[in-house]
Amino acid sequence: MQCNTKVDKVIIENGVATGVATVPTKPLAGDPPRRIFKARKLIIVSCGTLSSPLVLQRSGVGDPEKLRKVGVKPIIDLPGVGLNFQDHYLTFSTYRAKPETESFDDFARGDKEVQKKVFDEWNLKGTGPLATNGIEAGVKARPTDEELEEMKTWPTPDFSPSGWENYFKNKPDKPVMHYSVIAGWFGDHLDMPAGKFFTMFHFLEYPFSRGFTHITSPDPYEAPDFDAGFMMDKRDMAPMVWSYIQSRETARRMDAYAGEVTAMHPQFAYDSPARALDMDLETRNKYAGPDHLTANIQHGSWTAPLEAGKGAQPNWVTSNKATQREPLKYTKEDIAHVEKWVQRHCETTWHSLGTCSMAPKEGNSIVKHGVLDERLNVHGVKNLKVSDLSICPGKLF
């Protein structure tokens, strides 16, 4: 075990991995001191999706033309190193919550009384908000035939039928998208008004878009040329839009729902029925209390409150009542606004993989070029394996 140490490259002699060169984790003035560790039997690279391919490339394993351009002598011709980067890229949409809703907002915001209560429960019982990551529920879903037909009319319709039929249609175990509800605002609370929130995040389970990473010099401290490839394949757009619509309909039917945080949603036209609406007046008054003198004062069209849903009706099956809301209708213009929102706001889930894909060197139907064989051996090199999520040629869940 070597602490404060960064792997520079694997030493390859006559097609055999024989050792590893390392440098200090933090760059020092001048040429950094290098240490060589010789291997008796085997070297396993396990630096993660973003770093394992860079170690191989600095070792001379990769696309010969690209390696020469950055000053590295090619040893093994393996162009797949650093390609096929994948991630569950996602978007967040945040909603207002009623004051009685349990959330982590006051704790995260720094309310001393709430923080003491939460810390005490954790220290005494090991339970409470600190015993969870705040993700309260999740959904995996596939579009219906009617929804697939509707996608064909959207501004970017490439998923249906192309993406659906090529990958999903005959694989009923493969969900198209995932969305979950977070019990609060997942971010800096200085960016939010007072009150409580819940957040929906949504991502594609099996995106078509691919990215890459490649060294820019032999220097292990230099930042790589990295492109996550988010939304580079048009087949990903329609299901991303659909996932926002689906999660929003779920949010609107939750008892905690009290409107949208409009800045965290697409900027629809002012007169669109799909327009995001701020906190409803009843909830606003609950938060405000009798001494809040400016409650419900509005300036022009900056905010528009959520209208009440249909009143719940009693029935013979259950006494549980919930406000009813009709599904929102989206025009083609509305869908275009959602697409722009997706383009601006998609981000990582830190579920990255694929840059040292396990596949034949010449590739297959999943990847253009493989890096590892079925035993995790690097093609063309003896005694060298890679073992981390960079080996996965495609998403696992």
Side-chain angles (χ1 to χ4, degrees):
M1 176 71 72
Q2 294 293 317
C3 297
N4 301 316
T5 300
K6 179 181 179 71
V7 175
D8 177 12
K9 61 182 179 179
V10 176
I11 298 170
I12 301 174
E13 300 174 317
N14 299 319
V16 180
T18 60
V20 174
T22 68
V23 293
T25 299
K26 295 182 179 180
L28 305 173
D31 191 32
R34 280 176 164 76
R35 295 185 64 187
I36 305 297
F37 295 87
K38 301 297 287 185
R40 295 178 180 176
K41 294 183 178 180
L42 184 68
I43 295 172
I44 301 175
V45 177
S46 186
C47 302
T49 297
L50 293 176
S51 292
S52 286
L54 306 183
V55 170
L56 293 183
Q57 290 164 359
R58 288 194 296 268
S59 308
V61 181
D63 186 319
E65 183 178 349
K66 292 180 179 179
L67 294 178
R68 290 191 188 97
K69 284 183 179 180
V70 298
V72 173
K73 179 183 177 182
I75 297 177
I76 302 296
D77 182 353
L78 211 54
V81 177
L83 300 183
N84 198 41
F85 176 88
Q86 300 167 59
D87 196 357
H88 282 145
Y89 51 85
L90 85 165
T91 52
F92 289 97
S93 52
T94 306
Y95 298 84
R96 295 278 200 164
K98 297 173 182 176
E100 63 270 21
T101 302
E102 291 188 23
S103 78
F104 57 70
D105 294 296
D106 290 338
F107 173 83
R109 195 179 278 117
D111 185 304
K112 295 300 182 184
E113 183 178 342
V114 172
Q115 287 188 343
K116 183 180 185 306
K117 180 180 177 181
V118 170
F119 282 129
D120 286 348
E121 181 176 359
W122 170 253
N123 290 330
L124 292 172
K125 303 178 183 178
T127 59
L130 292 182
T132 173
N133 62 3
I135 301 175
E136 302 302 323
V139 174
K140 294 187 177 186
R142 291 160 60 91
T144 64
D145 291 340
E146 291 76 13
E147 288 167 335
L148 288 168
E149 283 299 313
E150 185 179 3
M151 289 180 190
K152 295 177 181 179
T153 68
W154 290 356
T156 308
D158 302 68
F159 177 74
S160 180
S162 174
W164 172 259
E165 293 190 354
N166 286 349
Y167 189 80
F168 293 99
K169 183 177 180 179
N170 296 319
K171 299 175 181 176
D173 61 317
K174 301 294 185 186
V176 172
M177 54 81 69
H178 171 102
Y179 66 90
S180 288
V181 58
I182 304 174
W185 156 236
F186 188 69
D188 188 339
H189 278 70
L190 290 177
D191 295 332
M192 286 288 161
K196 295 182 178 181
F197 309 92
F198 65 93
T199 301
M200 291 291 186
F201 71 86
H202 3 76
F203 61 76
L204 301 187
E205 290 279 8
Y206 303 94
F208 291 100
S209 297
R210 299 290 186 268
F212 65 85
T213 186
H214 202 279
I215 58 172
T216 55
S217 109
D219 186 345
Y221 299 117
E222 285 289 333
D225 177 15
F226 171 61
D227 186 341
F230 291 173
M231 302 307 300
M232 292 297 288
D233 192 312
K234 290 185 177 181
R235 291 175 294 179
D236 287 343
M237 178 56 79
M240 286 292 284
V241 171
W242 174 73
S243 66
Y244 166 77
I245 292 172
Q246 293 296 305
S247 69
R248 189 180 182 192
E249 289 301 326
T250 298
R252 294 173 69 244
R253 285 156 180 77
M254 292 173 58
D255 185 59
Y257 176 70
E260 283 98 1
V261 178
T262 57
M264 296 292 296
H265 289 260
Q267 299 302 298
F268 300 105
Y270 180 79
D271 58 352
S272 169
R275 178 189 177 186
L277 299 173
D278 214 315
M279 188 187 298
D280 66 271
L281 297 182
E282 180 182 357
T283 304
R284 189 180 296 268
N285 287 327
K286 287 181 180 179
Y287 274 116
D291 300 322
H292 191 116
L293 301 182
T294 60
N296 300 327
I297 293 179
Q298 295 187 29
H299 288 277
S301 60
W302 284 104
T303 61
L306 176 71
E307 296 181 359
K310 293 181 180 180
Q313 300 297 320
N315 60 66
W316 298 104
V317 178
T318 176
S319 60
N320 184 38
K321 300 178 182 180
T323 300
Q324 299 177 14
R325 298 185 183 276
E326 293 296 324
L328 295 171
K329 301 296 183 182
Y330 294 81
T331 65
K332 193 168 185 176
E333 180 184 0
D334 293 330
I335 297 299
H337 283 299
V338 182
E339 289 190 359
K340 285 295 182 184
W341 179 77
V342 169
Q343 291 171 351
R344 291 171 180 153
H345 297 293
C346 67
E347 54 187 283
T348 181
T349 57
W350 304 282
H351 294 175
S352 55
L353 50 75
T355 50
C356 295
S357 292
M358 183 170 60
K361 179 181 177 181
E362 62 276 11
N364 54 26
S365 61
I366 300 175
V367 298
K368 187 175 181 180
H369 301 287
V371 178
L372 311 175
D373 66 17
E374 70 278 6
R375 304 287 293 178
L376 307 185
N377 299 301
V378 176
H379 291 303
V381 185
K382 293 182 179 180
N383 299 345
L384 179 60
K385 295 178 183 283
V386 177
S387 181
D388 53 42
L389 282 179
S390 71
I391 73 170
C392 304
K395 277 297 178 186
L396 304 177
F397 66 96

